[in-house]
Amino acid sequence: MKPEGPQKINANIMSAAKGGGILTIGRLFSYATRFILAFLLARLMGAEDFGLYSLALTITALVSTVSLLGLDDAIMRYVAVYNGQKDDARLWGLLQFCISLTLVLSIALSVILYLAAEQVALGIFDAPELTRLIKLASFIIPFLSLSEMLMFASQGFKKMQYSVIAEQFVQLPVRLLIILVLIQFGIDPFLALIIFGVADFLASLLLIYFINREFPLRRALGASRWEVREIISFAFPFWISDLLNTMRNQVQTIFLGSLSTIVSVGIFTIADRVNLLSKMAYRSILTSTKPIIADLQAKEDWEQVGTLYTVSSRWGITLNLPIFLVLLLFPRELLSLFGASFGDGAQALTMLAFAELVNTGTGVGGVIIDMTGQNRIKLFNSITQVVLSVGTNLILIRSMGLMGAAIAALISVGLINILRMVEVYWLYRLLPYDRTYLKPLVAAAVAMITTFLFARVFPDEMFILRIILGSLLIAIVFLATLIVIGLPTEEKAILLKARKQILSVALLKRIGYLN
């Protein structure tokens, strides 16, 4: 198929940039809020109680993923497709089927978990105090599953701001506000879980309102067309894959809780929470490119897919490198903010930062595999990654504890992302790399050397000032070096458009059109 021209390519890049920018801003706010939440909870509860709270949330996430049946990925893809085709009947049937089935299954699984709470707490973790937390978590699962489904549906409409507002500007601030109000009475894991559930429920209500704005939900139930076979055929491999991925993501927490100590769970959770900053921009790019790639694949426009692959992957590594340098140079200082005992996770945080750098640096190949319908390959990758993750964690946590979990993450993430990149090249002859990748690498090297020399001036007791000034220096030197060596064409176009929009708004305000 012939390319549709530079204007169309730019439109897709701009769409990805806009969606990714909105999500990044939201996730930046989210990270700040999550950081404050983790800081307060870790300080108030200590490493052991925070570890219990983290285990309860891990179990909740696992059960919730089972109840989704992969329909979250399906609802995002087919909302984008059906909405693009203006097929209201199929779109209405899609929403009915996916949401109702998820709710029924999540409630059934919640009942089973409630009844098995004591066996799970004692048999797997040898922690009787975990029993009541698991019972409480079972009531949260249906709301968590619903909010996840609604979030993916809103993203299918290519309205990334909806999920940002619901999660980053409602759910997290509500949790923070309630904790601040109740802080004088003391916070324990049980109360922290209740607060989590309330905030998630409020986010679900807001997402329903947003979806109703895009696609009015007050319509006859019979005015729908259910494509059950097509949806299930697409969703089932994703369900297995997502379940395996969730198990992989949570396997460190589970194994640390069963093979090591509850305290190590608390420390690792905080280290992973700090590392969220390095994941923030990349996850935003992944989310914003998904519906665009799905749409381009339906049109068989592979040239634009390739362009988006290269540009979005370069954005990911460019945004990740400054954050990686902060985590690399100041790991102990960052973790010590949560309490002296959390500083023991400094080496683990460094390994997790390297793992995310590899994840980002290999591009959005996983999204291309997902959104082009390569379900068997996705399933194979997920099984491979879980086997790697379970195997390496089982071996390394037994011998190395906390550090073993971090090294296992680096091994499994690195190998699976290299595999995805090879698969995308084999399928579509696409690679994410070109010469423009060297620019952020050079900028990172200059920033690292400058900041390393600068940070040595400050004594250990001034670690907070070292973090603040060091982070600012990394950002300034990195950006300045990029500007000196020259930004790539796409980044220049995005900045130019953003500048024009900012100037337009400023002019309208100046003449009184905008108050």
Side-chain angles (χ1 to χ4, degrees):
M1 181 175 180
K2 293 182 180 180
E4 298 178 28
Q7 291 184 342
K8 185 62 178 177
I9 293 175
N10 288 337
N12 286 308
I13 291 174
M14 289 297 180
S15 179
K18 180 180 178 181
I22 292 171
L23 289 170
T24 300
I25 292 171
R27 282 180 171 150
L28 181 60
F29 179 83
S30 168
Y31 177 81
T33 309
R34 288 178 188 275
F35 189 91
I36 296 171
L37 280 170
F39 175 80
L40 290 174
L41 291 175
R43 283 282 187 177
L44 291 170
M45 294 192 292
E48 185 169 2
D49 276 355
F50 191 79
L52 289 170
Y53 170 73
S54 301
L55 278 174
L57 284 182
T58 296
I59 294 169
T60 304
L62 283 171
V63 178
S64 176
T65 302
V66 174
S67 70
L68 290 174
L69 288 176
L71 296 174
D72 49 346
D73 287 293
I75 202 171
M76 182 175 68
R77 184 182 192 277
Y78 285 105
V79 163
V81 172
Y82 294 157
N83 190 52
Q85 296 172 348
K86 306 298 182 184
D87 192 337
D88 286 0
R90 282 192 173 95
L91 182 52
W92 182 220
L94 173 72
L95 295 173
Q96 289 177 16
F97 174 69
C98 292
I99 292 174
S100 60
L101 183 58
T102 297
L103 280 176
V104 170
L105 186 57
S106 64
I107 292 171
L109 292 174
S110 297
V111 173
I112 295 173
L113 180 63
Y114 183 90
L115 297 175
E118 187 173 0
Q119 289 84 347
V120 173
L122 295 176
I124 298 177
F125 302 104
D126 193 25
E129 61 271 33
L130 190 59
T131 303
R132 72 181 192 128
L133 296 179
I134 295 175
K135 289 184 176 180
L136 175 59
S138 67
F139 288 95
I140 298 174
I141 289 168
F143 301 108
L144 184 61
S145 300
L146 175 62
S147 65
E148 188 77 4
M149 190 66 65
L150 294 171
M151 189 175 302
F152 273 74
S154 69
Q155 291 170 2
F157 285 106
K158 300 182 183 179
K159 298 290 185 179
M160 303 303 168
Q161 63 268 34
Y162 292 162
S163 60
V164 169
I165 293 171
E167 182 180 9
Q168 272 75 296
F169 294 103
V170 173
Q171 185 192 57
L172 293 173
V174 166
R175 289 174 62 192
L176 180 59
L177 179 62
I178 297 174
I179 288 173
L180 290 174
V181 169
L182 299 178
I183 195 171
Q184 58 183 326
F185 303 105
I187 302 291
D188 62 8
F190 192 83
L191 183 56
L193 274 178
I194 292 177
I195 294 170
F196 177 88
V198 170
D200 188 73
F201 175 71
L202 293 176
S204 297
L205 294 180
L206 185 59
L207 284 167
I208 292 173
Y209 167 76
F210 283 143
I211 291 173
N212 185 65
R213 288 179 57 179
E214 296 299 315
F215 184 77
L217 301 175
R218 293 186 63 181
R219 59 182 69 208
L221 293 177
S224 62
R225 181 176 175 181
W226 289 31
E227 300 288 354
V228 175
R229 178 176 296 180
E230 181 180 3
I231 294 169
I232 291 294
S233 297
F234 179 86
F236 184 75
F238 275 81
W239 175 54
I240 301 297
S241 178
D242 289 344
L243 182 59
L244 292 173
N245 284 335
T246 302
M247 291 174 61
R248 173 187 57 80
N249 291 333
Q250 308 296 346
V251 73
Q252 285 105 347
T253 303
I254 299 295
F255 281 173
L256 282 170
S258 58
L259 300 177
S260 187
T261 64
I262 300 296
V263 172
S264 67
V265 172
I267 295 174
F268 186 86
T269 302
I270 290 296
D272 191 53
R273 194 67 53 85
V274 172
N275 192 46
L276 273 177
L277 183 58
S278 63
K279 303 176 182 180
M280 178 185 62
Y282 184 62
R283 287 181 176 178
S284 300
I285 292 169
L286 291 180
T287 303
S288 66
T289 55
K290 278 184 176 181
I292 299 173
I293 290 176
D295 185 43
L296 291 174
Q297 186 271 336
K299 299 173 182 177
E300 298 184 0
D301 200 335
W302 296 107
E303 182 168 339
Q304 290 189 51
V305 173
T307 300
L308 190 59
Y309 185 23
T310 299
V311 174
S312 60
S313 299
R314 187 178 65 238
W315 292 344
I317 194 69
T318 302
L319 294 171
N320 177 270
L321 279 169
I323 301 166
F324 168 75
L325 293 179
V326 173
L327 300 179
L328 178 67
L329 295 175
F330 311 112
R332 183 169 294 277
E333 292 89 337
L334 287 167
L335 292 178
S336 296
L337 295 173
F338 298 86
S341 61
F342 291 98
D344 295 338
Q347 290 182 323
L349 176 57
T350 301
M351 287 296 104
L352 291 175
F354 270 108
E356 190 56 34
L357 182 66
V358 173
N359 184 36
T360 305
T362 48
V364 297
V367 171
I368 294 177
I369 291 172
D370 292 354
M371 292 296 105
T372 56
Q374 299 293 340
N375 294 343
R376 293 183 179 179
I377 293 178
K378 176 180 174 63
L379 182 58
F380 170 78
N381 291 345
S382 297
I383 294 173
T384 301
Q385 191 168 13
V386 168
V387 171
L388 282 171
S389 185
V390 171
T392 52
N393 275 282
L394 192 60
I395 295 170
L396 295 175
I397 288 177
R398 285 184 182 275
S399 58
M400 303 175 65
L402 183 65
M403 189 60 180
I407 294 175
L410 176 58
I411 293 172
S412 60
V413 168
L415 292 178
I416 199 65
N417 277 282
I418 292 172
L419 176 62
R420 285 172 180 158
M421 188 170 62
V422 171
E423 288 166 345
V424 170
Y425 180 76
W426 177 65
L427 288 169
Y428 307 116
R429 291 297 184 268
L430 299 175
L431 280 174
Y433 303 121
D434 58 20
R435 288 180 296 177
T436 59
Y437 264 74
L438 293 174
K439 295 184 177 183
L441 294 177
V442 172
V446 175
M448 182 179 69
I449 294 171
T450 305
T451 308
F452 176 76
L453 296 174
F454 171 81
R456 298 180 67 181
V457 175
F458 295 92
D460 292 341
E461 57 269 20
M462 300 179 66
F463 71 92
I464 296 180
L465 186 61
R466 185 191 299 171
I467 294 172
I468 296 172
L469 295 181
S471 300
L472 287 174
L473 184 61
I474 287 171
I476 292 170
V477 174
F478 183 83
L479 181 58
T481 306
L482 273 182
I483 292 173
V484 169
I485 62 181
L487 292 171
T489 303
E490 292 81 8
E491 280 80 338
K492 287 180 181 178
I494 291 166
L495 291 176
L496 181 61
K497 184 172 182 178
R499 180 188 172 203
K500 289 180 178 178
Q501 290 179 340
I502 292 170
L503 290 176
S504 297
V505 172
L507 178 61
L508 289 172
K509 286 184 176 180
R510 189 168 184 177
I511 64 177
Y513 187 77
L514 292 178
N515 294 323

